[in-house]
Amino acid sequence: MINSKNSFVYTILFMILITAFFTFLLAGLNHMTSDAIALNEETDLRSTILYVFDINPNSNDPKIIEETFDKYVESKQIGDETIYYIEKNGEIIAYAFPVNGVALWGSIQAYASVSADFTELLGIDFISHNETPGLGGRITEEWFKEQFRGLDLTKSDNEEYIKYRPAPNGNVDAITGATITSNAVRDIFNENIHEFINKEGGEM
């Protein structure tokens, strides 16, 4: 007859050993992949900054992206944010800064680039979002992002730099079937651009 007490202790010890084994296994895998994950995240950020500056590294190779980034892009810390900039002939010509806000299904993290005189929006790109694939998720499509390049920031009404057509002075197209996400993107970028120009811009 099997001692029920010993059986119970055996079961507990077995579960502890199994849990410990898989814990150490996951910890080992995490350690082995942490450098690769960090590199991918850094590459994605560099690619985003280059994109909003309209600089094409002509490659998806992380090394080429890093070399292109280091060749053109500088950074500075303003408060708790990292601001990126590019220079030409020793003079700053453009800035890139983080953009954050809440859309339909969650937060949006992005970057925007403006000219150094704050008169032109040079580009936007998205780091992360939770919008619906095929609808609001289309904000990451090239046709949507590319239409923000070269927008005149001096013709805004009440800090509405971005306005959807067919509104008067509309300068970009919203995503059909994703009105709430489109409006959220518009408001998030308008708010962040206005804040950057009026708050951070004075320190440049």
Side-chain angles (χ1 to χ4, degrees), residues 172-185:
V172 295
D173 292 318
I175 297 172
T176 303
T179 302
I180 296 177
T181 298
S182 296
N183 289 344
V185 167

Side-chain angles (χ1 to χ4, degrees), residues 54-74:
D54 202 15
I55 298 172
N56 188 354
N58 296 312
S59 174
N60 292 322
D61 187 324
K63 185 175 181 180
I64 302 256
I65 291 172
E66 180 181 6
E67 290 173 351
T68 306
F69 183 89
D70 291 342
K71 179 179 179 180
Y72 293 103
V73 182
E74 302 287 343

Side-chain angles (χ1 to χ4, degrees), residues 49-200:
I49 301 304
L50 290 173
Y51 180 83
V52 299
F53 280 138
D54 202 15
I55 298 172
N56 188 354
N58 296 312
S59 174
N60 292 322
D61 187 324
K63 185 175 181 180
I64 302 256
I65 291 172
E66 180 181 6
E67 290 173 351
T68 306
F69 183 89
D70 291 342
K71 179 179 179 180
Y72 293 103
V73 182
E74 302 287 343
S75 66
K76 66 186 340 180
Q77 200 72 22
I78 298 182
D80 59 353
E81 290 186 337
T82 300
I83 306 300
Y84 300 90
Y85 62 93
I86 54 176
E87 295 182 330
K88 186 175 183 179
N89 300 323
E91 185 174 328
I92 295 176
I93 61 173
Y95 297 104
F97 55 93
V99 170
N100 300 283
V102 178
L104 178 60
W105 296 113
S107 64
I108 282 180
Q109 293 181 309
Y111 272 85
S113 174
V114 297
S115 59
D117 59 4
F118 311 112
T119 63
E120 184 180 0
L121 178 61
L122 303 177
I124 70 168
D125 198 10
F126 297 88
I127 294 289
S128 65
H129 69 82
N130 298 297
E131 301 309 286
T132 307
L135 292 172
R138 297 182 66 199
I139 57 176
T140 60
E141 293 182 2
E142 290 294 309
W143 74 267
F144 183 75
K145 297 187 296 183
E146 284 296 312
Q147 62 181 336
F148 291 84
R149 292 201 190 277
L151 295 190
D152 188 344
L153 300 179
T154 66
K155 294 182 178 180
S156 65
D157 299 321
N158 299 318
E159 290 78 51
E160 288 189 301
Y161 308 104
I162 298 166
K163 297 182 73 172
Y164 291 122
R165 305 181 184 98
N169 299 319
N171 47 18
V172 295
D173 292 318
I175 297 172
T176 303
T179 302
I180 296 177
T181 298
S182 296
N183 289 344
V185 167
R186 177 199 61 201
D187 295 343
I188 290 168
F189 276 95
N190 279 337
E191 180 180 341
N192 280 261
I193 292 169
H194 176 65
E195 181 180 347
F196 180 78
I197 291 175
N198 288 275
K199 181 181 177 181
E200 311 291 5

